[in-house]
Amino acid sequence: MHRYKCIISYDGSDFSGYQIQPNKRTVQLVLENVLTKIHKGNVVKVAASGRTDAGVHAKGQVIHFDSPLQIPVNRWEAALNSLLPEDLAVLSVEKVHDSFHARFDAVGKEYRYVLQLSTKRDPFQRKYAYQYPYKLNVDAMREAVPYLLGTHDFTSFCSAKTEVEDKTRTIESIEITVDQDMLILHFVGNGFLYNMVRILVGTLLEVGSGDRKPSDLPQVLEARDRKFAGKTAPAHGLYLWKVFYK
Amino acid sequence: MHRYKCIISYDGSDFSGYQIQPNKRTVQLVLENVLTKIHKGNVVKVAASGRTDAGVHAKGQVIHFDSPLQIPVNRWEAALNSLLPEDLAVLSVEKVHDSFHARFDAVGKEYRYVLQLSTKRDPFQRKYAYQYPYKLNVDAMREAVPYLLGTHDFTSFCSAKTEVEDKTRTIESIEITVDQDMLILHFVGNGFLYNMVRILVGTLLEVGSGDRKPSDLPQVLEARDRKFAGKTAPAHGLYLWKVFYK
C-alpha cells in the first residue's frame, strides 16, 4: 500500500459541499468514484483536511488516499484529472509516509473571502464573489482585526449546529486587501469552526457599514453566544486557500 | 415612443449565443421576454450591435429598444435587472435619439481573447479562458501583429459559412498583454467577420508555437481562403469587450 497526498481545487458552485451525503453530488463522492474506477471497482476512501460547505470553493484543499497500484507518482495527477469533471482538479500528487493524515496532521489553514464592492451586477462574479453594494469603511474593519487575533473561545463565531466541544482556536492573521472593486479578507489560523470564517466576515461587514464599533468585538467574543455576532456571509465568496502541514 | 440604448454583460456559458433561434436559450430571447413582461405582454424587440456565438461572453454588448412607457431613464436599469437572470446584467441605460441604431451606428468594436498558459487545469477558469498548456513565443506573436493591422480582405480569417459579401475590414490595433499565467489578446477594429477574432487567435497561436513564421501572414491574407489560416480558437475565451459609437 502507498499513501498519496493531493492538493485539489474545486469550483464549489455545483457541489453539495465536500462530504458525502445521500443522493448529493459532493466532492468526496466524485473523488471516491474516480479512485474506485481506477481500482477496477475496489472501493477507495479519501480523507480531507476538513469539509467545506455547499457553494464554498477550494484553491488548495488537501486529501489523502491509499492505493496498492504500481502507478508512478508523477502519473497519478494525469490519471485522476483525465477522469475528474471540469469543476474539480488535482493540482499535485505526492507520495507520503503511511502515517500522514490530511486532517490530523494539518497545523493551519488559510481561507479567503472575496467581496465585490459594486452596485452593478457582474455575471462573471456571481458565483465567485459576494456582491456588496453598500459603503464600507475598510479602516474601521482593519481596526477591528486585532481584537480577533490570537487564541480565543470562538463560540460566538460558530454555527450553533456544530458538535465540536472545544471552541478555542488561534487566528494568526487577518489581512484585508483591496484591488479595484474586489475586497479580499485573508484568514490564517490553526483551525476554524463550522461557519467561523463566514460569521467573522459577516461581523466585520457590520463594522465596515457602521452598525458596530470595532471596540465592540471583545464583548462579542466574551458572550460565547452565536446571537452576539453578525450574520453568516454567503458561501460563494469563501475559498479554502491553503492547508499547512509541519 | 422612447428609444433606449443599453450596455449589457453576459456570461455566455449557458446561452446558445445572442441571436434568437427556435427552442434555444439565447440572450436576445431572454431580453425580449423580460421587456415584453414589463410591457404587459406587448412584444418588444431588441437590436444588438451584432451577434455573439454560443459560449462567447460580453462585457460591453450594446442593444437598443423602443418603449412607450413613462419610466424615468434612471429606473430602467433596476427594472430590467430585477427580472433578468444572474448570467445577464444591464450595466447602463441611456435615452437616445429615435434614429440611433445599436448595429448601424457602431463604428468600432473591441474584443478580448483570454488564454490561461498553464499545464494545470483550473476549475475557476474553465468557462472563462482557453487553457493553453504548450510553450508560446509571445515575441513571435507580437512580430506577426503588424501584418494584420490596417485594411485587408479578411476572407481567410472568416468562417466559410458567412453570408457577408464584403470581407474588407480594418484592424486598428492588436495588443498582447501577459499577467501571471493569463495572456490576453486585445483586438480593436471597425468590425469583425464571423469567427474572425477566433481564427486570428488560432493563427497567432500557431505563430507562437512555431508552426508558422510571422512573415507567413501576408500570404495567408492574400490567399483569401479560410483553409490558409489557423484553427478557430474555442468560444469560451472570447469577450465582446466594448462597442464604439460616434
Side-chain angles (χ1 to χ4, degrees):
Chain A
M1 266 323 207
H2 307 288
R3 182 157 290 190
Y4 296 95
K5 170 191 174 189
C6 306
I7 301 177
I8 66 171
S9 176
Y10 44 87
D11 174 345
S13 310
D14 297 331
F15 287 105
S16 299
Y18 174 81
Q19 188 169 264
I20 285 185
Q21 300 172 58
N23 305 316
K24 299 275 190 183
R25 182 180 188 257
T26 68
V27 175
Q28 188 185 359
L29 178 76
V30 169
L31 284 170
E32 293 186 352
N33 282 350
V34 161
L35 279 164
T36 301
K37 196 168 182 182
I38 292 176
H39 291 78
K40 304 194 187 305
N42 294 310
V43 173
V44 177
K45 305 301 282 180
V46 301
S49 72
R51 341 174 173 172
T52 52
D53 270 349
V56 174
H57 310 293
K59 294 285 266 187
Q61 168 72 293
V62 174
I63 59 133
H64 81 255
F65 66 89
D66 294 325
S67 172
L69 299 181
Q70 298 298 332
I71 299 177
V73 63
N74 59 353
R75 293 285 186 81
W76 268 108
E77 186 185 320
L80 289 163
N81 281 324
S82 70
L83 294 170
L84 286 168
E86 282 196 316
D87 53 353
L88 172 54
V90 171
L91 303 182
S92 72
V93 181
E94 192 189 334
K95 207 166 171 173
V96 288
H97 193 274
D98 285 357
S99 67
F100 172 84
H101 196 288
R103 179 162 160 221
F104 301 126
D105 287 357
V107 294
K109 280 184 184 167
E110 176 174 355
Y111 278 95
R112 295 193 184 177
Y113 196 92
V114 180
L115 292 146
Q116 185 173 34
L117 306 178
S118 173
T119 55
K120 303 279 181 191
R121 283 208 294 121
D122 182 345
F124 297 97
Q125 295 297 338
R126 70 193 194 279
K127 296 173 182 172
Y128 307 112
Y130 172 35
Q131 190 201 343
Y132 194 84
Y134 313 108
K135 272 208 166 171
L136 264 192
N137 180 347
V138 179
D139 288 337
M141 292 169 72
R142 289 192 173 120
E143 233 179 273
V145 163
Y147 297 111
L148 298 167
L149 298 183
T151 304
H152 301 281
D153 180 324
F154 282 99
T155 302
S156 296
F157 293 91
C158 174
S159 166
K161 281 190 280 179
T162 193
E163 287 156 24
V164 180
E165 295 264 312
D166 179 8
K167 289 173 181 133
T168 303
R169 295 291 183 276
T170 303
I171 301 185
E172 291 181 23
S173 65
I174 302 176
E175 278 179 54
I176 304 175
T177 58
V178 182
D179 181 11
Q180 294 180 341
D181 63 351
M182 305 305 277
L183 184 143
I184 305 179
L185 297 107
H186 310 240
F187 297 85
V188 177
N190 70 345
F192 293 89
L193 299 159
Y194 187 49
N195 278 355
M196 180 169 154
V197 178
R198 291 164 58 189
I199 299 169
L200 286 166
V201 171
T203 308
L204 286 169
L205 286 175
E206 292 176 13
V207 171
S209 68
D211 290 344
R212 286 170 193 267
K213 284 181 290 180
S215 58
D216 290 349
L217 289 192
Q219 288 148 267
V220 177
L221 279 165
E222 265 167 47
R224 291 182 172 75
D225 183 340
R226 171 69 187 88
K227 292 195 294 292
F228 283 71
K231 290 203 189 80
T232 306
H236 68 279
L238 185 60
Y239 295 74
L240 171 53
W241 202 263
K242 197 174 176 177
V243 186
F244 299 97
Y245 293 91
K246 270 198 211 90
Chain B
M1 268 320 209
H2 307 289
R3 180 158 290 190
Y4 297 95
K5 171 190 172 189
C6 306
I7 301 177
I8 66 171
S9 176
Y10 45 88
D11 175 345
S13 311
D14 297 330
F15 287 105
S16 300
Y18 174 81
Q19 189 171 265
I20 285 186
Q21 300 170 58
N23 304 315
K24 300 275 189 182
R25 182 179 188 259
T26 67
V27 175
Q28 187 185 0
L29 179 76
V30 169
L31 284 170
E32 292 185 355
N33 282 351
V34 161
L35 279 165
T36 300
K37 196 167 182 180
I38 292 176
H39 291 79
K40 303 194 189 306
N42 293 310
V43 173
V44 178
K45 305 301 281 179
V46 301
S49 72
R51 342 173 173 172
T52 53
D53 269 350
V56 173
H57 309 294
K59 295 284 265 187
Q61 168 71 292
V62 174
I63 58 133
H64 80 256
F65 66 88
D66 294 325
S67 171
L69 298 181
Q70 298 297 333
I71 299 178
V73 63
N74 60 353
R75 292 286 186 81
W76 268 108
E77 186 185 321
L80 288 163
N81 281 325
S82 70
L83 293 171
L84 286 169
E86 281 195 317
D87 53 353
L88 172 55
V90 171
L91 303 181
S92 71
V93 181
E94 191 189 334
K95 207 167 172 172
V96 287
H97 193 273
D98 286 356
S99 67
F100 171 84
H101 195 286
R103 180 162 159 221
F104 302 125
D105 287 357
V107 294
K109 279 183 184 167
E110 176 175 355
Y111 278 94
R112 295 193 185 177
Y113 196 92
V114 181
L115 292 146
Q116 186 172 34
L117 306 178
S118 173
T119 56
K120 304 277 182 193
R121 285 208 292 121
D122 182 343
F124 298 98
Q125 294 298 336
R126 69 193 195 278
K127 296 174 182 171
Y128 307 113
Y130 172 36
Q131 191 201 343
Y132 194 84
Y134 313 108
K135 270 208 166 173
L136 263 192
N137 180 345
V138 179
D139 288 337
M141 293 168 72
R142 289 191 174 122
E143 235 179 87
V145 162
Y147 296 110
L148 299 167
L149 299 183
T151 304
H152 300 282
D153 180 325
F154 282 99
T155 303
S156 297
F157 293 92
C158 173
S159 166
K161 279 190 281 180
T162 192
E163 287 157 26
V164 180
E165 296 263 313
D166 179 8
K167 288 167 183 140
T168 302
R169 295 291 183 277
T170 302
I171 301 184
E172 291 181 23
S173 65
I174 302 176
E175 278 180 54
I176 303 176
T177 58
V178 182
D179 182 11
Q180 295 180 342
D181 63 350
M182 305 305 278
L183 183 144
I184 305 179
L185 296 108
H186 310 241
F187 297 86
V188 177
N190 69 344
F192 293 88
L193 298 160
Y194 187 49
N195 279 356
M196 180 169 154
V197 178
R198 289 164 59 189
I199 300 169
L200 286 166
V201 170
T203 308
L204 286 169
L205 285 175
E206 292 176 11
V207 170
S209 66
D211 290 343
R212 285 169 195 267
K213 284 181 292 181
S215 59
D216 289 349
L217 290 191
Q219 288 148 267
V220 177
L221 279 166
E222 264 166 47
R224 292 182 172 77
D225 183 340
R226 171 69 189 88
K227 291 195 296 292
F228 283 72
K231 291 204 188 79
T232 306
H236 68 280
L238 185 61
Y239 295 74
L240 171 54
W241 203 263
K242 197 174 176 178
V243 185
F244 299 97
Y245 293 91
K246 272 200 208 86

